Amino acid sequence: MDANAGRHLVYQTSLMSALLDGIYDGDTTVATLLEHGDFGLGTFNALDGEMLILDGVCYRMRNDGTVTPAAADDLTPFAVVTEFVPGVTIRVDEPATRDEAVRLISETLQSSNYLYAVRLTGEFEWVRVRAVERQEKPYQPMSEAIRGEKTLEFGRSAGVVAGFRTPLYGQGIGVPGGHVHYIDAERRQGGHVLDFRLLSGTIEICVGTDLHLELPLTPEFKNADLSPDDLADQIEQTENHR
C-alpha cells in the first residue's frame, strides 16, 4: 500500500463474535448502511439471507440461492460497508482456484495490517455457496444454526465475488482472512462463498485505514459472550463450512 494513498473509512455495525453468540437482531437499517458506502456485505435480522451491497444496491440472497433487492427499512445485525475506490487492479487471464486468487492478492498487497475491500469480477467455471435458513426465537448460537444448512453450486456463470479481507488481529470484530459473497451478473443467484474456480477476471482492491464501529444498544448485545475460548474455531466452522 502506498503510504501517501490517504485514509479511507470502513463502517461496521456490531461484531462477528456477537453474531456467533446468536445476536441475530439489530437496529441498523439498509438505508443507514447505504449512507456509509456503496459496497459491503453482512446479513439480515433473524439471519434471513446473506447481504451483498454492490454499486449502491443492497441485495438479499436467500438459502435457495435466489436474489432480490433489499428494502430500505430492512434491518441488519451485522454488516460492513465502504465507498469502493479501487487503488489496485489485478488482471487474471488464466484459470485460478480460490486459494490461488487469494495468494495472488496476498502477493500484491504490501501489508496485511489493513482492512481491504475486494471485488473480483469475472467468468467462473463454478461457484459453491451456502446460506443459512431464517432463524426463529429463541435463537441458537450460529454453530448450531448452521447445522444441516445446504450448499449450492452454480455452474459456469459471469458474476462478482466481493467482500473484505480482515487482518488476523481483527478476529471477533470481523472475519480474519477473506469473507466474501457471490452474485451473478444478472443479479438472480448468489450466496456466501465457500469455494470457486475462476476462468478469467479482474480483481479490484480498496484499502481501509479507518474503522467506524457502532455497537448495538440492546440487552441481547449487552449480555452476549463476545470472547469465547473457541472463538477461532467457531469462525472457521461457520464461515468456511468446516
Side-chain angles (χ1 to χ4, degrees):
M1 179 191 138
D2 184 350
N4 297 316
R7 311 204 68 87
H8 192 80
L9 180 67
V10 176
Y11 170 90
Q12 178 172 322
T13 178
S14 196
L15 304 171
M16 185 62 199
S17 57
L19 209 60
L20 292 172
D21 197 48
I23 311 303
Y24 301 150
D25 289 334
D27 52 11
T28 301
T29 65
V30 166
T32 297
L33 294 180
L34 295 178
E35 291 174 0
H36 293 278
D38 60 4
F39 175 98
L41 84 175
T43 187
F44 296 90
N45 275 16
L47 297 188
D48 189 16
E50 304 283 348
M51 175 191 295
L52 183 60
I53 300 173
L54 281 179
D55 302 320
V57 179
C58 183
Y59 299 96
R60 183 195 299 260
M61 302 176 288
R62 297 192 186 276
N63 72 318
D64 61 357
T66 60
V67 173
T68 56
D73 59 355
D74 284 343
L75 296 170
T76 175
F78 175 82
V80 188
V81 298
T82 192
E83 291 289 343
F84 192 77
V85 183
V88 176
T89 299
I90 308 168
R91 178 66 195 173
V92 183
D93 294 317
E94 298 180 352
T97 64
R98 175 178 179 171
D99 288 344
E100 289 169 342
V102 169
R103 186 160 54 247
L104 180 59
I105 292 170
S106 298
E107 292 171 351
T108 301
L109 299 175
Q110 296 181 23
S111 175
S112 59
N113 294 334
Y114 296 97
L115 178 65
Y116 296 96
V118 179
R119 175 171 177 156
L120 167 53
T121 305
E123 186 79 21
F124 295 85
E125 182 176 336
W126 53 265
V127 182
R128 187 175 303 123
V129 306
R130 60 90 164 154
V132 68
E133 289 187 13
R134 177 187 171 89
Q135 300 297 295
E136 302 295 336
K137 294 181 178 179
Y139 295 141
Q140 298 178 315
M142 186 173 282
S143 59
E144 297 295 327
I146 66 170
R147 290 180 185 270
E149 69 176 358
K150 62 182 179 181
T151 61
L152 302 171
E153 186 167 307
F154 306 128
R156 181 160 180 165
S157 62
V160 179
V161 167
F164 291 88
R165 181 178 174 85
T166 301
L168 293 179
Y169 63 75
Q171 177 173 275
I173 297 175
V175 180
H179 179 192
V180 291
H181 293 172
Y182 173 76
I183 192 168
D184 70 351
E186 289 76 29
R187 308 303 192 241
R188 293 179 179 173
Q189 59 185 15
H192 175 102
V193 173
L194 297 174
D195 202 1
F196 62 76
R197 180 169 175 80
L198 175 70
L199 294 175
S200 63
T202 301
I203 301 171
E204 298 172 289
I205 304 172
C206 170
V207 66
T209 60
D210 299 19
L211 178 62
H212 178 108
L213 177 62
E214 292 191 2
L215 302 179
L217 295 173
T218 63
E220 292 79 10
F221 184 87
K222 179 180 178 180
N223 298 315
D225 180 5
L226 301 180
S227 55
D229 293 337
D230 62 343
L231 178 60
D233 290 340
Q234 287 191 46
I235 292 175
E236 177 67 15
Q237 178 185 357
T238 57
E239 292 305 305
N240 296 316
H241 209 266
R242 295 171 181 169

